[in-house]
Amino acid sequence: MLTAASTISSLAHYLSELPNRPLTILDPVMISTSGHTLLPDAAISAITSQLLPHVDWVTPNIPEAQRLIDSSGAVETLDDLLKLADELRGGLTAPIVLLKGGHLGVKKEEVRAIAGKYKTIWEEGDEEDETVEIFDLYRSHVGVKAPKELVVDVLIQKGKEVVLFIGKRLESTSTHGTGCTLSSAIACASAVLGAETGEPHRPLHFVTSLGACLTRLTRQATTLSP
């Protein structure tokens, strides 16, 4: 976690001096899931003005994305989320932005309303990793209803169409550290697959499945750690 403007400035300078900079992914840990601001204003300013020009990926949650581009509008619907994504496209220098939508519960009707307007990739029904589906069966067995809301993550790449990753919204206490885990998973997937383009499908499913497992295995709030 980058907490001081001086540290951020030093890192930005280091990255700018590298002759062959490796793939760099930034999870801008600035605002917690519970809504608390974690960094002083000077550090946030250093991230936006000095560090972002030297990263390939940035993975903000909704409040962090709003802070990065000074957007103050409420994000309460899928349309609001897509408007924020459009602002990010023009407001950030990073080639790839993954806007994490976990703060917002989206109804299926909202997704149907935009059918055909965006490329969409559904997370549910994955035949390789069915942890979330197994989790839902467990809920049914113990008499707990699965949430009907969806979560939508938005992938924004310069020169390419916006892609929506849609899946079931997981009601879990194991959400602390999910952003750091996701950015680490993207880095690992890029190294293994040898791809520097935006392909977050497996990392997103990995983090969702991990959260589903930890919630029931520990039966208490758990921190995910990369």
Side-chain angles (χ1 to χ4, degrees), residues 89-222:
R89 180 189 285 274
L92 292 183
T93 55
I96 304 174
V97 180
L98 180 63
L99 173 57
K100 299 176 295 190
H103 285 73
L104 177 67
V106 176
K107 297 178 180 178
K108 288 187 177 181
E109 291 77 12
E110 293 183 83
V111 175
R112 293 193 189 103
I114 61 164
K117 297 180 181 179
Y118 297 90
K119 179 180 178 180
T120 58
I121 298 176
W122 288 79
E123 294 293 308
E124 53 186 294
D126 191 305
E127 295 180 355
E128 296 181 6
D129 297 300
E130 296 183 337
T131 308
V132 177
E133 285 71 31
I134 294 172
F135 182 40
D136 285 342
L137 287 174
Y138 177 85
R139 282 180 179 274
S140 176
H141 179 71
V142 297
V144 178
K145 293 183 179 180
K148 295 182 179 180
E149 291 183 322
L150 302 171
V151 61
V152 179
D153 301 299
V154 186
L155 181 68
I156 308 135
Q157 300 181 81
K158 288 190 175 181
K160 296 185 178 182
E161 65 179 322
V162 169
V163 182
L164 308 183
F165 291 85
I166 305 172
K168 295 177 182 177
R169 193 163 192 256
L170 180 64
E171 294 295 335
S172 171
T173 54
S174 301
T175 56
H176 185 69
T178 49
C180 301
T181 303
L182 175 60
S183 57
S184 296
I186 292 171
C188 292
S190 298
V192 171
L193 300 174
E196 296 188 3
T197 56
E199 296 294 343
H201 177 271
R202 289 179 182 273
L204 282 168
H205 197 82
F206 166 74
V207 173
T208 304
S209 299
L210 186 59
C213 288
L214 288 176
T215 296
R216 286 306 168 188
L217 288 175
T218 64
R219 296 182 180 273
Q220 60 185 358
T222 305

Side-chain angles (χ1 to χ4, degrees), residues 66-98:
Q66 290 178 299
R67 186 62 187 271
L68 286 172
I69 57 173
D70 292 323
S71 176
S72 58
V75 178
E76 299 175 342
T77 66
L78 179 56
D79 283 341
D80 293 336
L81 183 67
L82 295 173
K83 289 177 183 176
L84 177 59
D86 191 55
E87 292 180 50
L88 287 170
R89 180 189 285 274
L92 292 183
T93 55
I96 304 174
V97 180
L98 180 63

